[in-house]
Amino acid sequence: MSVITQKAGTMQTAQTVPMMRLAMREVREFAYRALMTKGASNAEAQAAARQVLFAEVHHSTGLQALATWLRDGSWTLGALSYVRTETPEGKSYAVAPESRCHALVHGVLLVDVASTGVGSEVLCNAVDHNCHLLDEALLNAAQSSGYTVVHRSAANSNRTTFATPAGELGNGFSAENQTGPHGGPSAPYGSRIYTAQTAPQGDFSFSNAEERTAQRVELAHSGIPVNAATWAEVREVAAGYLVADA
């Protein structure tokens, strides 16, 4: 399959949609601007833009996930309602089932709360694994806490993502009937984010810090290949960030 690279940094084949190559700073900056137009604060937009960049660099999902959220999302959703209880293992924060959590808006907060200590957990509605928007937050929390931080989904899928203090990131499926603390959430909750001494058992694919660094270095030189239509959608929203200063 031949690929033609054009002056504008776009590429296209007969079998694929139009693509472009972007610098990492472009992805992060335009994600930041788009999020600011949707009501995020400076700090919130910076953190979420890093989530988008990580997912785009390592899984090619960040910009599409951002574009999907931008169509209907807003940062001005108000605070999450929750109930905190003390369990024998630690603190449990159960977010009200009617409060809709999203990885971009609430992901860093949910992971930070869940990683305050071994045995801490957050229960909430289902947060998507496939977009990989929580991956960077899990890695940061594992490094700062010194423990493994896990996001596991409910139901039969047992979809799980976890990060270790050594920088290992696992994506896959937890084994059934594990002993605590590696259980899944129960109804009405779709996601459980928690901190543990050890990683869960199951069927996982892994990446480590060295591999991810090598990927970033390679893309820093070659550029990140992105869907041109998705990029145009994000740029259109991001342009609104400059309207007030025009």
Side-chain angles (χ1 to χ4, degrees):
M1 182 174 65
S2 61
V3 177
I4 301 174
T5 303
Q6 301 173 350
K7 287 184 178 180
T10 62
M11 55 187 182
Q12 187 173 2
T13 71
Q15 292 85 9
T16 63
V17 297
M19 301 290 289
M20 302 179 65
R21 286 193 179 272
L22 302 173
M24 286 189 283
R25 62 172 179 79
E26 291 180 286
V27 174
R28 184 177 58 249
E29 177 64 21
F30 279 86
Y32 167 83
R33 295 182 186 184
L35 290 159
M36 289 288 285
T37 67
K38 288 291 187 172
S41 69
N42 175 60
E44 290 168 334
Q46 287 190 35
R50 290 193 298 269
Q51 290 176 261
V52 171
L53 178 60
F54 184 98
E56 191 63 36
V57 166
H58 299 293
H59 299 282
S60 301
T61 58
L63 285 173
Q64 183 57 62
L66 172 62
T68 300
W69 180 81
L70 289 172
R71 292 167 197 155
D72 301 306
S74 170
W75 213 278
T76 56
L77 299 176
L80 293 176
S81 299
Y82 68 93
V83 174
R84 191 185 82 172
T85 57
E86 297 285 345
T87 72
E89 292 76 30
K91 294 181 174 64
S92 178
Y93 299 84
V95 177
E98 65 272 14
S99 296
R100 308 307 298 170
C101 299
H102 191 279
L104 272 179
V105 182
H106 309 105
V108 173
L109 172 64
L110 296 173
V111 172
D112 283 350
V113 172
S115 62
T116 52
V118 171
S120 294
E121 67 174 7
V122 169
L123 300 167
C124 61
N125 68 275
V127 180
D128 182 42
H129 289 267
N130 294 329
C131 66
H132 297 282
L133 288 175
L134 275 191
D135 288 14
E136 195 221 26
L138 291 169
L139 282 165
N140 290 342
Q143 185 176 37
S144 61
S145 71
Y147 297 104
T148 296
V149 185
V150 186
H151 171 213
R152 179 170 171 176
S153 293
N156 295 329
S157 70
N158 296 319
R159 186 74 166 85
T160 303
T161 306
F162 70 88
T164 71
E168 188 174 58
L169 183 67
N171 277 289
F173 303 88
S174 285
E176 292 279 3
N177 302 320
Q178 293 186 82
T179 58
H182 295 298
S186 56
Y189 303 105
S191 280
R192 179 176 179 243
I193 304 169
Y194 65 95
T195 302
Q197 296 272 12
T198 60
Q201 297 177 337
D203 183 12
F204 298 104
S205 60
F206 297 95
S207 70
N208 59 43
E210 290 75 18
E211 292 167 340
R212 294 191 299 273
T213 296
Q215 174 77 350
R216 291 178 71 94
V217 169
E218 178 182 347
L219 292 180
H221 287 91
S222 65
I224 305 173
V226 304
N227 182 294
T230 301
W231 178 240
E233 192 173 348
V234 172
R235 280 181 60 92
E236 183 177 2
V237 178
Y241 177 62
L242 301 177
V243 169
D245 297 327

